[in-house]
Every structure is written in structure tokens, then in C-alpha cells.
Amino acid sequence: MKIYTRRGDKGSTGLFGGGRTSKDDVRVEAYGTVDELNAVIGGALSQVTDQAIVRRLRRVQSDLFAIGAHLATPPPDGSRRAPALPDLPAERVAAMESWIDQAMSATPPLRNFILPTGSPGANGLHLARAVCRRAERRVVTLASSADVDPEIVRYLNRLSDFLFAAARQENSAAGGLDIEWRA
């Protein structure tokens, strides 16, 4: 099977469910940034040492594919029907809140801002958190001009919090490598 189609050579791309749009369309930017986030999480996973965090991030990676499918699907119109989409992982937000609480209880109290650095796993998680925040901003931008399920924004917001807490947990397990920001 060839993976190239040549249909995008002039700057357009196909959407899930049909239709084409410019590769710099706000919808493409939103689901493309979610895809980038998924790849960055994959990179972080190669460095994360805590197996509970690894298992949780593997679930998150699958969730992000479902979110990407929803973002890549414009509303149906007269020329196309809505395709079958995977369920959004709305229940994962509550699970992530529990994960965050567990991670934060395993680390020293947070009294100041910390620098996004530390152990290799924490470093990767901090990078993923920053990309997650960008994905959230791109989805909010899309939501200002198109219907976007609000659960997607909620999910990404909570995911960035989990990535921060997981980075702190990784640093704590590596000997307390959080570095407080000093002005």
C-alpha cells in the first residue's frame, strides 16, 4: 500500500467524512496540533520510568486519536453524511483528576513556579504539557468558528494538568529534581 496520494501537493487536505480544505485551515491546525501532542507524548514515554504513568499515557494516546477524528470531521452538509466516529473519552477527565491528585500527593508541596526541567522523563512530560496547551488554544480557536464538543477542551485542559503533575512525580522519583523559578 502506498502512503502517498499526491492529492495534497497543492496545499489542500481531505477531511474525515469527505471534503477538502487548505492545509492551513484552523481545523487542520487544531487536529494537527493534537497529533503533534500525541507524538511528543510518545517521545516522553521512551524516558518515563514510572510504569503507572506509562500505562496512563498509553490510554491518553488512544484518546487523542479519538479527539483528532472528531476535530478532523466537519459537520455534515447536503453533500456528505456524518461518518461513524469513536466515542470521546469524557470519563477520562475524572480519571485524570484522580491521577493528578495521586501524583501531587507523591511530591513535595508546590510553593512556587517550577522550571520545566529535570529528569529525562520529566523533561519530556514538560514538553508534552506545553504542546498540550498549544493544542488547547488551537481547539479553542476552532470552537470560535465551528461546532466543537466542549468535552475536547475540557479533556485537553485536564491533560495539561496531568502532564505537569506527572513531570513532578518523575522528578520526585529521580531524587527531587524540581527547580523553583527565582526572579
Side-chain angles (χ1 to χ4, degrees):
M1 175 178 144
K2 293 183 179 184
I3 63 166
Y4 58 89
T5 64
R6 298 186 179 123
R7 290 191 300 262
D9 289 353
K10 293 184 179 174
S12 70
T13 190
L15 296 170
F16 195 49
R20 295 191 70 75
T21 193
S22 174
K23 289 184 178 185
D24 68 353
D25 184 87
V26 67
R27 179 175 300 282
V28 178
E29 186 65 28
Y31 72 73
T33 308
V34 168
D35 183 45
E36 180 185 355
L37 169 60
N38 208 342
V40 170
I41 288 172
L45 280 167
S46 70
Q47 302 294 322
V48 169
T49 59
D50 185 299
Q51 290 308 300
I53 294 172
V54 168
R55 284 189 302 277
R56 291 166 178 172
L57 289 176
R58 293 273 184 232
R59 279 190 222 141
V60 163
Q61 284 192 297
S62 291
D63 293 348
L64 292 174
F65 266 98
I67 288 170
H70 281 261
L71 294 172
T73 307
D77 64 18
S79 66
R80 63 181 181 275
R81 297 182 335 183
L85 291 169
D87 290 334
L88 286 173
E91 73 287 347
R92 193 81 68 227
V93 171
M96 281 191 282
E97 289 172 354
S98 172
W99 302 345
I100 293 163
D101 293 342
Q102 290 170 15
M104 294 304 284
S105 71
T107 60
L110 189 60
R111 301 190 194 294
N112 293 302
F113 288 108
I114 61 168
L115 299 177
T117 189
S119 69
N123 229 12
L125 293 166
H126 279 302
L127 177 59
R129 178 195 49 79
V131 174
C132 186
R133 287 288 189 207
R134 181 160 34 92
E136 182 183 8
R137 292 189 303 270
R138 297 293 73 85
V139 170
V140 167
T141 299
L142 174 61
S144 71
S145 63
D147 284 338
V148 172
D149 190 316
E151 287 300 315
I152 294 174
V153 175
R154 197 166 158 249
Y155 182 100
L156 293 171
N157 186 35
R158 206 67 80 250
L159 176 57
S160 65
D161 294 337
F162 169 62
L163 293 166
F164 176 80
R168 292 203 66 228
Q169 187 174 351
E170 276 288 304
N171 271 343
S172 183
L177 300 174
D178 279 347
I179 298 172
E180 291 184 355
W181 172 63
R182 302 274 185 218

